[in-house]
Amino acid sequence: MSTVLDWRFAARLAAGVVGAGLLVLALLALTSDNVPASVDGLLTGAVSSDGRMAQWLSYSSYLMFVGASVCLVFRVGMFSIGAEGQVFVAALAAGGVALALGPSGFALPLAVLAAVAGGAAWALLPGLMKAYLNADEIVTTLMLNFVATFAFAFVIKEALLPDGAGFPVSDYFDQGTWLPSWGTIPSSLVFAILSCVGVSLLLNRSRLGFRLRMVGDSRPFARANGYPVRRLICVAFVVSGAVAGLTGAAIAFGGTHRLIVGMGAGIGFEGILVALLAVNRPGLVPLTALAYGYLRTGGEIIQITGNVPRDVVVVLQGVLIIGLAALLRRRDARSRTPAVAAPATEQPGTAQGDVMEVTR
Amino acid sequence: MYLASVLELATPLVLAALGCLLTVRAGVDNIGIEGMMLGGAFAGAAVSTTVFGPWGGLAVAAAAGLALALVLAWSHLSLGADFVLAGIAVNLLAAGGTVTLLFAINKSKGQGADDLASDPLPTVNLSFLDDVPVLNALADQSPITWATILLAPVFVYLYFHSKPGIWIRAVGGNAPAVVEAGISPTRVKWLAMSLSGVFAGIAGAQLSLATTHTFVRDMTQGRGFIALAAVYLGLRHPVGTIIAATAFGACQALSTLLQVRTTIPTDPLAAFPYVVTVIALGVAGLRSLRRRSLAAA
Amino acid sequence: MTRPDDMRAQAPVVLELRDVDKHFGPVHANRSVSLSLRRGSVHAILGENGAGKSTLMNILFGVLTPDSGEIRIHGEPRTFAAPKDAIAAGIGMVFQHFGLVPELSALDNISLGAEQTSWGVVDRDVARAKVEDLCRELQVEIPLERRVSALTVSQQQRVEILKALYRGAQILILDEPTALLAPQEREGLFDAVKRLQRTGVSVLFITHKLDEVELLADDVTVIRHGAVVAEHRVGTVTQAELVADMVGSSTVALSRTERVPLGVAMAVRDLSAVHPTSSSLRGVSLELRSGEITGVVGIDGHGHQLLCEVLAGVRPPAGGELSLFGARQRRWGRARAMASDVAFVPEDRLSAGVAKHLSIAENLVANRLGDPRFTRFRFMRRQAVRRHARELIEQFDVRCRDELQPVGSLSGGNVQKVVLARELSTSPRVVVVCEPTRGLDVAAIASVHSRLAAAADAGAAVVLQSSDLDEVLAVVNRIVVFREGEVVADVPNGDDVDAKVLGALMLGARLAEAA
């Protein structure tokens, strides 16, 4: 029985992939003068030169941090979409520290610490509101994303803008804080993979992670086993915020080397996609981040070379999210495998189930 | 003309927020409203320069918003995707799709630019009001603004006194009760989401066919989320929602004014709606907490 | 001249169930249930919690579809795919937890889905006139414009009844209608039902309260374990006979053995606690002795379930003292209780008893994360966890693929084995067990009982809360009866105690009268 279901799942997945591919092809046909070249650019662009490969790998590394962060909260049953804002706050904190310390051996470690603290703090607020006030985390995190975005822009424009800058940026950080690369491999990739492994170990191997997963599965159960449920919810938010904070540091010190208004915008939502592709398993996030980052980089490249908007990939992203969310929910509903899909907030069509008082 | 600009900028927020209110009351936080607005803005601009003209653009804008809303409803209600994820997906589809189509259109015209000029809707010109204080704000508003002002009371009335209005509120309040009354909550949600799409599409048209005369990529700039915030700040009540959305519009107008006249930074003002909403959610949480502890004692 | 009673006895049958059968997986919820309701009569359906009453009502209202069997309305077979079909057939349902929208006014709730409109606007005057007529007929008063959330519980119930009548219901199903009502409110409800009856409305009245059957019903059908066990005309049957029907002659194997209790393990003095849907505990003093199984019983919501939650530490006491082996506990919570070796088998097995998407192995260590056997440096020792699981699976005879199988995919009996394995294998000193056999088959029930007996024999103080009196009588050494949040009897379980006695005590009789 389960093999039949898996087969069906695979067939749906294949159909989805083919469908998404056809859609992208259609969009390319609409915009591109040379469709085969655009397809080629999309599919091989990311490895067509060392520079592009480095771009792919570093972008993927950012996605990994966010993906791991999103996996963590989702697995605890919290629908936080606040990674975006946490990244901004973290980048700002890290950048502020780096700029303040200037050339110093301590600058990078302290700045990374600041990023972690910033991301964690920005996540703690909705965590507390969820745990103690039962405030809908979807709305609070969404709102806080914007607060972070504007705070980021405000601080840069008001406090960090160097004289004569044409657009809102900060000074470059001291070169000592720039993350090194080895050939095409950025060091942020190593840290990102380590973060995914770390989050995976935390969730699957540690005692804390064990408790968090129990809370995610059933809060009454966690309570019946004496777990401090509210505190654990806050911990989940804080840890995921800290990991998201690392993204901010990685972008600032591995990518832009200064703070730019709009840097990393959208990464929080792409992280959700990456986590979803990895069925909320942080161990799989490096793979899905590399795969998605590959396409994303291909999109950047055809924009430059083929005058095709990279936004074709954004459409693909939307289609993938719908398809995956639906597939996972269905698989979960039909077979009784673990709910690795997104945590249930409100399921459609449960009204009937609520009326039933199914006794024995 | 600060007041005029408040009306102009509040219009899309009020429209989108009322659309959002319907879905929120039916139990769905409509994050996709942002994408629906964007889709409407683009479709309106694109069609306005064709033979269908700006009025055709307005109709197609509403249809585009509706189409994206149907994608959301289908993903959530038929495929079972979570509405947050489906909403994010709709936003991505709209953001990516509008830019892709923008490229396609501009390319056929031999342009490479990032924007698309529109043929704007004619304004309702009431020049006799020009010299009347306060009311002169109404002298040169878009038909969408006028429709919003005139139809908002109708909306509020129907929200409380029409079958769909009552059913939508019932679904969010207690879905099993609705089933017991022989109504399908799923169908009511389809309706609420569709209406929100139409509202959002028209709100988008206000941006590209009235406030500005062009479509620019990502031109909604979070207005959909502000609309969602207005619903929560307005305590999920239509009048509260309209007031909150108008207040947020006043914020934006003030922000524009400051940008033009002064060097005072506007980012805190832009963040204001979101901060207020987070605080409002916290206060609401505290209140229900206190009520519960009183009930237990 | 015929008495009205006799007239009703000859009135035409408006609703008939024939051999209705319903399974939920392995559970046989309704076994070939047949009953007929006559026009203008009140027909009580009496049964313990979990006897299958709610399933039957949901089938009648189109919420569930039966596996087999037939529903006939006025003699014609009907199938209900959804509640709206049942409504169309003239059936109205008043659920135990009211199906009203708190944000809407009473009037809007009553007319929901059946609104009259003119020009797209709901014509509330039409509805109001109709509802006011109904109110007059029933002699009830409801502030129709007020939001339901601002109404009292009994007013909400009236609204539910009006909602059904507004749709032209001729057959009204009341599911445990007095569960949330104060005594005076109950009188009001019964008056209203009697007035309805005179207008020709027929009422199916679901209850587990014997006195209500006598007060209100013309006929009574008793259901046990999903099957009809008896039908009576009210007035021709005594309460004692009804109790005997309800709880049955023992179908549960007797596993009770004489035990000599050791010292007092846990004691509460003057304990009080509150709960949203249960009687508050008031001044409860009780001693639980090691090596003995204590049964706590009562009518649903009379505080015995709440006591178990307090003892286990999942609900805080509001006042009084709780001591464990003589030591007074000041900050009693689940974590403290677990540290003091208090095991807990919650009533809601699938949500509070297990994490159903996680593996058996993980579920089996959820309560012993402090044990160095399973954690080292704050990390789980996975091999040890799995080995532990394999041992317990073997020992408790859990039927599964392997220890990594998600608990939610096991059968009910095996889920409960997992719960018991987890809770009892820590050699607890106190074991609090709620409804441990609800929904289980005979073999699984026997296995649960032997586990509880073994725990008591090993010296634990076991507290068993069950609505199945047969079970309590078969297993426990001592029985504590609760009524309205207070202990009304605390008796050793001997040959002089039977279901009738317990039933009478639960209903408020004094011990001397009951025995």
mmCIF file of all heavy atoms in Angstrom, chain B residues 137-170:
data_model
loop_
_atom_site.group_PDB
_atom_site.id
_atom_site.type_symbol
_atom_site.label_atom_id
_atom_site.label_comp_id
_atom_site.label_asym_id
_atom_site.label_seq_id
_atom_site.Cartn_x
_atom_site.Cartn_y
_atom_site.Cartn_z
ATOM 1 N N ALA B 137 -10.089 69.230 -1.348
ATOM 2 C CA ALA B 137 -9.366 67.974 -1.491
ATOM 3 C C ALA B 137 -10.090 67.034 -2.451
ATOM 4 O O ALA B 137 -9.486 66.141 -3.037
ATOM 5 C CB ALA B 137 -9.213 67.300 -0.121
ATOM 6 N N LEU B 138 -11.385 67.210 -2.587
ATOM 7 C CA LEU B 138 -12.186 66.328 -3.435
ATOM 8 C C LEU B 138 -12.234 66.790 -4.891
ATOM 9 O O LEU B 138 -12.788 66.117 -5.743
ATOM 10 C CB LEU B 138 -13.624 66.262 -2.894
ATOM 11 C CG LEU B 138 -13.810 65.538 -1.573
ATOM 12 C CD1 LEU B 138 -15.190 65.828 -1.009
ATOM 13 C CD2 LEU B 138 -13.636 64.042 -1.785
ATOM 14 N N ALA B 139 -11.631 67.926 -5.161
ATOM 15 C CA ALA B 139 -11.861 68.572 -6.448
ATOM 16 C C ALA B 139 -11.339 67.777 -7.633
ATOM 17 O O ALA B 139 -11.889 67.855 -8.726
ATOM 18 C CB ALA B 139 -11.233 69.960 -6.440
ATOM 19 N N ASP B 140 -10.308 67.016 -7.433
ATOM 20 C CA ASP B 140 -9.659 66.407 -8.596
ATOM 21 C C ASP B 140 -9.244 64.973 -8.302
ATOM 22 O O ASP B 140 -8.100 64.603 -8.508
ATOM 23 C CB ASP B 140 -8.434 67.276 -8.967
ATOM 24 C CG ASP B 140 -8.033 67.046 -10.407
ATOM 25 O OD1 ASP B 140 -8.898 66.652 -11.211
ATOM 26 O OD2 ASP B 140 -6.850 67.239 -10.717
ATOM 27 N N GLN B 141 -10.172 64.201 -7.793
ATOM 28 C CA GLN B 141 -9.824 62.828 -7.415
ATOM 29 C C GLN B 141 -10.192 61.841 -8.518
ATOM 30 O O GLN B 141 -11.013 62.128 -9.381
ATOM 31 C CB GLN B 141 -10.549 62.433 -6.117
ATOM 32 C CG GLN B 141 -10.046 63.157 -4.882
ATOM 33 C CD GLN B 141 -8.625 62.772 -4.495
ATOM 34 O OE1 GLN B 141 -8.058 61.830 -5.033
ATOM 35 N NE2 GLN B 141 -8.058 63.515 -3.556
ATOM 36 N N SER B 142 -9.575 60.670 -8.442
ATOM 37 C CA SER B 142 -9.846 59.636 -9.453
ATOM 38 C C SER B 142 -11.218 59.036 -9.209
ATOM 39 O O SER B 142 -11.730 59.060 -8.088
ATOM 40 C CB SER B 142 -8.796 58.539 -9.376
ATOM 41 O OG SER B 142 -9.117 57.623 -8.352
ATOM 42 N N PRO B 143 -11.809 58.472 -10.251
ATOM 43 C CA PRO B 143 -13.111 57.815 -10.064
ATOM 44 C C PRO B 143 -13.018 56.662 -9.065
ATOM 45 O O PRO B 143 -14.002 56.348 -8.391
ATOM 46 C CB PRO B 143 -13.471 57.306 -11.465
ATOM 47 C CG PRO B 143 -12.240 57.437 -12.281
ATOM 48 C CD PRO B 143 -11.380 58.469 -11.654
ATOM 49 N N ILE B 144 -11.846 56.048 -8.947
ATOM 50 C CA ILE B 144 -11.720 54.946 -7.985
ATOM 51 C C ILE B 144 -11.843 55.480 -6.562
ATOM 52 O O ILE B 144 -12.497 54.885 -5.705
ATOM 53 C CB ILE B 144 -10.374 54.207 -8.180
ATOM 54 C CG1 ILE B 144 -10.283 53.649 -9.594
ATOM 55 C CG2 ILE B 144 -10.228 53.091 -7.156
ATOM 56 C CD1 ILE B 144 -8.975 52.964 -9.913
ATOM 57 N N THR B 145 -11.219 56.642 -6.325
ATOM 58 C CA THR B 145 -11.337 57.248 -5.002
ATOM 59 C C THR B 145 -12.790 57.594 -4.700
ATOM 60 O O THR B 145 -13.304 57.321 -3.617
ATOM 61 C CB THR B 145 -10.462 58.514 -4.924
ATOM 62 O OG1 THR B 145 -9.119 58.141 -5.194
ATOM 63 C CG2 THR B 145 -10.567 59.160 -3.557
ATOM 64 N N TRP B 146 -13.438 58.184 -5.699
ATOM 65 C CA TRP B 146 -14.852 58.527 -5.505
ATOM 66 C C TRP B 146 -15.686 57.287 -5.233
ATOM 67 O O TRP B 146 -16.523 57.266 -4.323
ATOM 68 C CB TRP B 146 -15.396 59.284 -6.727
ATOM 69 C CG TRP B 146 -15.172 60.753 -6.591
ATOM 70 C CD1 TRP B 146 -14.235 61.498 -7.229
ATOM 71 C CD2 TRP B 146 -15.884 61.625 -5.721
ATOM 72 N NE1 TRP B 146 -14.305 62.806 -6.820
ATOM 73 C CE2 TRP B 146 -15.305 62.918 -5.890
ATOM 74 C CE3 TRP B 146 -16.928 61.478 -4.812
ATOM 75 C CZ2 TRP B 146 -15.744 64.030 -5.188
ATOM 76 C CZ3 TRP B 146 -17.374 62.586 -4.108
ATOM 77 C CH2 TRP B 146 -16.776 63.847 -4.310
ATOM 78 N N ALA B 147 -15.423 56.250 -5.997
ATOM 79 C CA ALA B 147 -16.177 55.012 -5.801
ATOM 80 C C ALA B 147 -15.925 54.472 -4.399
ATOM 81 O O ALA B 147 -16.853 54.004 -3.721
ATOM 82 C CB ALA B 147 -15.756 53.981 -6.846
ATOM 83 N N THR B 148 -14.677 54.551 -3.964
ATOM 84 C CA THR B 148 -14.354 54.043 -2.628
ATOM 85 C C THR B 148 -15.095 54.829 -1.556
ATOM 86 O O THR B 148 -15.684 54.258 -0.636
ATOM 87 C CB THR B 148 -12.835 54.126 -2.395
ATOM 88 O OG1 THR B 148 -12.185 53.473 -3.477
ATOM 89 C CG2 THR B 148 -12.453 53.466 -1.083
ATOM 90 N N ILE B 149 -15.065 56.161 -1.707
ATOM 91 C CA ILE B 149 -15.734 57.000 -0.706
ATOM 92 C C ILE B 149 -17.230 56.704 -0.675
ATOM 93 O O ILE B 149 -17.831 56.534 0.387
ATOM 94 C CB ILE B 149 -15.507 58.504 -1.011
ATOM 95 C CG1 ILE B 149 -14.032 58.853 -0.847
ATOM 96 C CG2 ILE B 149 -16.377 59.378 -0.104
ATOM 97 C CD1 ILE B 149 -13.679 60.251 -1.324
ATOM 98 N N LEU B 150 -17.821 56.600 -1.871
ATOM 99 C CA LEU B 150 -19.273 56.435 -1.923
ATOM 100 C C LEU B 150 -19.693 55.015 -1.564
ATOM 101 O O LEU B 150 -20.752 54.807 -0.969
ATOM 102 C CB LEU B 150 -19.792 56.795 -3.322
ATOM 103 C CG LEU B 150 -19.569 58.260 -3.718
ATOM 104 C CD1 LEU B 150 -20.016 58.508 -5.152
ATOM 105 C CD2 LEU B 150 -20.334 59.185 -2.753
ATOM 106 N N LEU B 151 -18.864 54.047 -1.958
ATOM 107 C CA LEU B 151 -19.287 52.665 -1.760
ATOM 108 C C LEU B 151 -18.862 52.088 -0.408
ATOM 109 O O LEU B 151 -19.374 51.044 -0.008
ATOM 110 C CB LEU B 151 -18.775 51.786 -2.903
ATOM 111 C CG LEU B 151 -19.418 52.109 -4.264
ATOM 112 C CD1 LEU B 151 -18.854 51.214 -5.358
ATOM 113 C CD2 LEU B 151 -20.942 51.939 -4.197
ATOM 114 N N ALA B 152 -17.969 52.774 0.295
ATOM 115 C CA ALA B 152 -17.537 52.236 1.588
ATOM 116 C C ALA B 152 -18.722 52.057 2.552
ATOM 117 O O ALA B 152 -18.851 50.987 3.165
ATOM 118 C CB ALA B 152 -16.459 53.119 2.204
ATOM 119 N N PRO B 153 -19.616 53.067 2.649
ATOM 120 C CA PRO B 153 -20.782 52.852 3.531
ATOM 121 C C PRO B 153 -21.655 51.695 3.055
ATOM 122 O O PRO B 153 -22.191 50.938 3.861
ATOM 123 C CB PRO B 153 -21.558 54.178 3.435
ATOM 124 C CG PRO B 153 -20.570 55.163 2.933
ATOM 125 C CD PRO B 153 -19.591 54.429 2.100
ATOM 126 N N VAL B 154 -21.771 51.556 1.721
ATOM 127 C CA VAL B 154 -22.557 50.443 1.176
ATOM 128 C C VAL B 154 -21.908 49.122 1.585
ATOM 129 O O VAL B 154 -22.578 48.169 1.996
ATOM 130 C CB VAL B 154 -22.646 50.547 -0.364
ATOM 131 C CG1 VAL B 154 -23.414 49.362 -0.921
ATOM 132 C CG2 VAL B 154 -23.293 51.861 -0.760
ATOM 133 N N PHE B 155 -20.571 49.083 1.469
ATOM 134 C CA PHE B 155 -19.846 47.879 1.859
ATOM 135 C C PHE B 155 -20.140 47.540 3.317
ATOM 136 O O PHE B 155 -20.458 46.409 3.656
ATOM 137 C CB PHE B 155 -18.339 48.086 1.659
ATOM 138 C CG PHE B 155 -17.506 46.921 2.130
ATOM 139 C CD1 PHE B 155 -17.113 45.923 1.251
ATOM 140 C CD2 PHE B 155 -17.109 46.821 3.463
ATOM 141 C CE1 PHE B 155 -16.366 44.846 1.682
ATOM 142 C CE2 PHE B 155 -16.360 45.741 3.905
ATOM 143 C CZ PHE B 155 -15.992 44.752 3.009
ATOM 144 N N VAL B 156 -20.014 48.570 4.170
ATOM 145 C CA VAL B 156 -20.223 48.317 5.595
ATOM 146 C C VAL B 156 -21.641 47.807 5.832
ATOM 147 O O VAL B 156 -21.865 46.858 6.584
ATOM 148 C CB VAL B 156 -19.964 49.602 6.419
ATOM 149 C CG1 VAL B 156 -20.296 49.371 7.888
ATOM 150 C CG2 VAL B 156 -18.518 50.034 6.270
ATOM 151 N N TYR B 157 -22.594 48.415 5.102
ATOM 152 C CA TYR B 157 -23.980 47.993 5.280
ATOM 153 C C TYR B 157 -24.167 46.542 4.856
ATOM 154 O O TYR B 157 -24.719 45.721 5.589
ATOM 155 C CB TYR B 157 -24.920 48.920 4.481
ATOM 156 C CG TYR B 157 -26.374 48.605 4.722
ATOM 157 C CD1 TYR B 157 -27.014 49.067 5.864
ATOM 158 C CD2 TYR B 157 -27.097 47.818 3.821
ATOM 159 C CE1 TYR B 157 -28.339 48.758 6.116
ATOM 160 C CE2 TYR B 157 -28.422 47.506 4.057
ATOM 161 C CZ TYR B 157 -29.040 47.984 5.200
ATOM 162 O OH TYR B 157 -30.343 47.669 5.451
ATOM 163 N N LEU B 158 -23.637 46.236 3.679
ATOM 164 C CA LEU B 158 -23.802 44.876 3.173
ATOM 165 C C LEU B 158 -23.038 43.870 4.030
ATOM 166 O O LEU B 158 -23.460 42.727 4.192
ATOM 167 C CB LEU B 158 -23.336 44.782 1.721
ATOM 168 C CG LEU B 158 -24.239 45.482 0.706
ATOM 169 C CD1 LEU B 158 -23.638 45.371 -0.690
ATOM 170 C CD2 LEU B 158 -25.641 44.888 0.731
ATOM 171 N N TYR B 159 -21.906 44.314 4.549
ATOM 172 C CA TYR B 159 -21.103 43.445 5.417
ATOM 173 C C TYR B 159 -21.953 42.950 6.582
ATOM 174 O O TYR B 159 -21.864 41.802 7.001
ATOM 175 C CB TYR B 159 -19.903 44.249 5.919
ATOM 176 C CG TYR B 159 -18.976 43.536 6.879
ATOM 177 C CD1 TYR B 159 -17.969 42.707 6.412
ATOM 178 C CD2 TYR B 159 -19.100 43.729 8.256
ATOM 179 C CE1 TYR B 159 -17.112 42.074 7.287
ATOM 180 C CE2 TYR B 159 -18.245 43.095 9.142
ATOM 181 C CZ TYR B 159 -17.253 42.271 8.650
ATOM 182 O OH TYR B 159 -16.414 41.652 9.529
ATOM 183 N N PHE B 160 -22.812 43.812 7.088
ATOM 184 C CA PHE B 160 -23.641 43.420 8.226
ATOM 185 C C PHE B 160 -25.014 42.884 7.821
ATOM 186 O O PHE B 160 -25.663 42.199 8.587
ATOM 187 C CB PHE B 160 -23.831 44.595 9.184
ATOM 188 C CG PHE B 160 -22.595 44.931 9.948
ATOM 189 C CD1 PHE B 160 -21.909 46.112 9.732
ATOM 190 C CD2 PHE B 160 -22.086 44.028 10.880
ATOM 191 C CE1 PHE B 160 -20.761 46.400 10.438
ATOM 192 C CE2 PHE B 160 -20.933 44.303 11.589
ATOM 193 C CZ PHE B 160 -20.268 45.491 11.374
ATOM 194 N N HIS B 161 -25.466 43.248 6.619
ATOM 195 C CA HIS B 161 -26.871 42.972 6.299
ATOM 196 C C HIS B 161 -27.097 42.106 5.076
ATOM 197 O O HIS B 161 -28.243 41.924 4.680
ATOM 198 C CB HIS B 161 -27.639 44.284 6.127
ATOM 199 C CG HIS B 161 -27.673 45.105 7.380
ATOM 200 N ND1 HIS B 161 -28.559 44.874 8.403
ATOM 201 C CD2 HIS B 161 -26.884 46.121 7.798
ATOM 202 C CE1 HIS B 161 -28.332 45.734 9.379
ATOM 203 N NE2 HIS B 161 -27.314 46.493 9.042
ATOM 204 N N SER B 162 -26.039 41.614 4.440
ATOM 205 C CA SER B 162 -26.289 40.737 3.295
ATOM 206 C C SER B 162 -25.937 39.312 3.672
ATOM 207 O O SER B 162 -25.190 39.067 4.617
ATOM 208 C CB SER B 162 -25.445 41.173 2.089
ATOM 209 O OG SER B 162 -24.108 40.805 2.296
ATOM 210 N N LYS B 163 -26.491 38.373 2.921
ATOM 211 C CA LYS B 163 -26.189 36.970 3.181
ATOM 212 C C LYS B 163 -24.696 36.677 3.124
ATOM 213 O O LYS B 163 -24.152 36.095 4.062
ATOM 214 C CB LYS B 163 -26.910 36.097 2.137
ATOM 215 C CG LYS B 163 -28.211 35.510 2.630
ATOM 216 C CD LYS B 163 -28.592 34.393 1.671
ATOM 217 C CE LYS B 163 -30.091 34.173 1.710
ATOM 218 N NZ LYS B 163 -30.482 33.014 0.910
ATOM 219 N N PRO B 164 -24.024 37.076 2.026
ATOM 220 C CA PRO B 164 -22.587 36.763 1.982
ATOM 221 C C PRO B 164 -21.842 37.371 3.166
ATOM 222 O O PRO B 164 -20.958 36.731 3.738
ATOM 223 C CB PRO B 164 -22.129 37.389 0.658
ATOM 224 C CG PRO B 164 -23.346 37.500 -0.163
ATOM 225 C CD PRO B 164 -24.483 37.719 0.781
ATOM 226 N N GLY B 165 -22.225 38.602 3.533
ATOM 227 C CA GLY B 165 -21.548 39.247 4.662
ATOM 228 C C GLY B 165 -21.702 38.437 5.939
ATOM 229 O O GLY B 165 -20.747 38.172 6.657
ATOM 230 N N ILE B 166 -22.945 38.025 6.197
ATOM 231 C CA ILE B 166 -23.201 37.255 7.420
ATOM 232 C C ILE B 166 -22.488 35.912 7.348
ATOM 233 O O ILE B 166 -21.859 35.468 8.309
ATOM 234 C CB ILE B 166 -24.723 37.062 7.601
ATOM 235 C CG1 ILE B 166 -25.381 38.412 7.878
ATOM 236 C CG2 ILE B 166 -25.010 36.099 8.748
ATOM 237 C CD1 ILE B 166 -26.898 38.369 7.888
ATOM 238 N N TRP B 167 -22.538 35.267 6.189
ATOM 239 C CA TRP B 167 -21.943 33.945 6.074
ATOM 240 C C TRP B 167 -20.432 33.996 6.236
ATOM 241 O O TRP B 167 -19.831 33.128 6.872
ATOM 242 C CB TRP B 167 -22.306 33.323 4.721
ATOM 243 C CG TRP B 167 -23.750 32.963 4.625
ATOM 244 C CD1 TRP B 167 -24.718 33.279 5.539
ATOM 245 C CD2 TRP B 167 -24.394 32.238 3.589
ATOM 246 N NE1 TRP B 167 -25.928 32.787 5.117
ATOM 247 C CE2 TRP B 167 -25.765 32.150 3.926
ATOM 248 C CE3 TRP B 167 -23.965 31.670 2.408
ATOM 249 C CZ2 TRP B 167 -26.688 31.496 3.109
ATOM 250 C CZ3 TRP B 167 -24.883 31.012 1.587
ATOM 251 C CH2 TRP B 167 -26.229 30.926 1.947
ATOM 252 N N ILE B 168 -19.818 35.026 5.640
ATOM 253 C CA ILE B 168 -18.356 35.130 5.753
ATOM 254 C C ILE B 168 -17.973 35.280 7.213
ATOM 255 O O ILE B 168 -17.070 34.609 7.716
ATOM 256 C CB ILE B 168 -17.836 36.325 4.915
ATOM 257 C CG1 ILE B 168 -17.837 35.957 3.429
ATOM 258 C CG2 ILE B 168 -16.439 36.737 5.359
ATOM 259 C CD1 ILE B 168 -17.567 37.113 2.505
ATOM 260 N N ARG B 169 -18.691 36.131 7.938
ATOM 261 C CA ARG B 169 -18.349 36.312 9.352
ATOM 262 C C ARG B 169 -18.622 35.032 10.133
ATOM 263 O O ARG B 169 -17.916 34.692 11.070
ATOM 264 C CB ARG B 169 -19.152 37.479 9.931
ATOM 265 C CG ARG B 169 -18.602 38.822 9.464
ATOM 266 C CD ARG B 169 -19.367 39.963 10.074
ATOM 267 N NE ARG B 169 -20.729 40.039 9.556
ATOM 268 C CZ ARG B 169 -21.780 40.332 10.287
ATOM 269 N NH1 ARG B 169 -21.641 40.568 11.568
ATOM 270 N NH2 ARG B 169 -22.978 40.379 9.740
ATOM 271 N N ALA B 170 -19.655 34.306 9.717
ATOM 272 C CA ALA B 170 -19.986 33.072 10.429
ATOM 273 C C ALA B 170 -18.906 32.018 10.224
ATOM 274 O O ALA B 170 -18.538 31.305 11.150
ATOM 275 C CB ALA B 170 -21.337 32.545 9.952
#
